[in-house]
Amino acid sequence: MFETGLLARKRILITGGGSGLGAAMGRRFAELGAELIICGRRLELLEETAAKFRSEFGAKASTARCDIRDGAAVEAMMDLIWQDAPIDILVNNAAATFIAQSEHLSFRAADAILAPTLHGTMYCTLAAGRRWIEGKHKGVVLSILSTSTITGRAFTVPSSMAKTAVLAMTRSLAVEWGPKGIRTVAIAPGAFPTPGATGQLRPEGRSESWAHRNPLGRPGEHSELANLASFLISDQAGYINGEMVVQDGGMHLRSSGAEDLLQWTDEQWENQRAARAKT
């Protein structure tokens, strides 16, 4: 689909890059010639993923163990990365979510979602942007959001709030940082099943046909999202700034994706809370 070397000489940091959509994007970026730094909390998983990128594509791929919920840890990570060279692209992929009745959310549960999804994304963006501006270095920030930024979404209120706030950040910084050569863009994916997200958002008792309810009748392929991300961060998309591209097969035009939960019984919700408490 893309010319060989589309992302050659691009140094890319991906948060939550060890698995799921982060790893899928990283794989495509490596295939297109990028140098990768993948960030997360589980070093063993990160090293395993980076090793695959190196062996499959001969890519330069390194890891950075970091809890992005900790602003000081983010600054330390960025200092370490910049000792070698600036990054050219930041991909804000790390996030957290689970379904819950909002009235039963404790402040700790809400913070467990807001901390990585909103605060961590902001910490990483500001840390990269500050260094780009100080060094007069052009950059791109790509944030992975959600169609809840358009429709809202019942039973994942902290996640919907956080993703909507990141969209506001994307649009605001497009204006503030655009003159400095920094683009901010976003993707709102629909159903792209991953083990982590499916376990939190599609527990036992929810309809198995959820991913086939969009107008195209199927879930998204990870390669489709990775290709869109590759385009948006490339120089070929150099005139796209402050935009969120929806990639959900048209599902947000039909449903927010949470309507089935309105039919759940108190017993089903109690079972869900008990299951989450165990994990």
Side-chain angles (χ1 to χ4, degrees), residues 16-18 38-51 63-66:
I38 56 174
C39 156
R41 289 186 291 166
R42 294 181 289 169
L43 185 59
E44 184 177 348
L45 176 63
L46 295 172
E47 293 288 1
E48 180 182 334
T49 302
T63 62
R65 185 177 185 177
C66 180

Side-chain angles (χ1 to χ4, degrees), residues 141-143 145 167 170-171 174 183-188 232 239-246:
V141 179
L142 169 65
S143 298
L145 303 182
L167 177 57
T170 299
R171 290 170 171 165
R183 292 193 299 118
T184 55
V185 291
I187 298 174
L232 287 175
Y239 203 51
I240 300 176
N241 189 30
E243 290 298 319
M244 179 181 73
V245 180
V246 176

Side-chain angles (χ1 to χ4, degrees), residues 1 16 29 32 40-41 50 52-53 67 71 89 91 94 107 115 156 165 187 215-216 220 226 231 239 241 258:
M1 178 177 178
F29 299 162
L32 292 169
R41 289 186 291 166
K52 289 179 182 177
F53 296 155
D67 185 346
I89 296 152
V91 178
F107 66 86
T156 57
I187 298 174
L216 296 184
F231 169 66
Y239 203 51
N241 189 30

Side-chain angles (χ1 to χ4, degrees), residues 155-208:
F155 308 111
T156 57
V157 169
S159 175
S160 298
M161 292 171 62
K163 295 288 190 179
T164 302
V166 174
L167 177 57
M169 180 189 76
T170 299
R171 290 170 171 165
S172 301
L173 291 180
V175 176
E176 185 175 347
W177 288 356
K180 302 177 188 298
I182 299 169
R183 292 193 299 118
T184 55
V185 291
I187 298 174
F192 288 84
T194 66
T198 300
Q200 293 294 344
L201 298 175
R202 312 302 308 185
E204 184 178 352
R206 292 198 74 178
S207 171
E208 295 298 324

Side-chain angles (χ1 to χ4, degrees), residues 55-107:
S55 64
E56 290 181 30
F57 308 110
K60 188 173 182 181
S62 59
T63 62
R65 185 177 185 177
C66 180
D67 185 346
I68 64 169
R69 299 174 298 182
D70 182 343
V74 169
E75 289 292 336
M77 174 183 68
M78 292 295 189
D79 282 341
L80 190 61
I81 290 171
W82 248 258
Q83 285 181 10
D84 292 329
I87 60 172
D88 302 291
I89 296 152
L90 167 66
V91 178
N92 289 315
N93 171 70
T97 190
F98 53 78
I99 61 169
Q101 291 169 297
S102 298
E103 66 270 26
H104 291 292
L105 279 170
S106 67
F107 66 86

Side-chain angles (χ1 to χ4, degrees), residues 121-140:
T121 295
M122 180 181 66
Y123 297 155
C124 290
T125 301
L126 297 183
R130 183 184 313 115
R131 288 164 174 80
W132 284 332
I133 292 167
E134 289 173 352
K136 294 181 169 54
H137 189 92
K138 293 182 178 181
V140 180

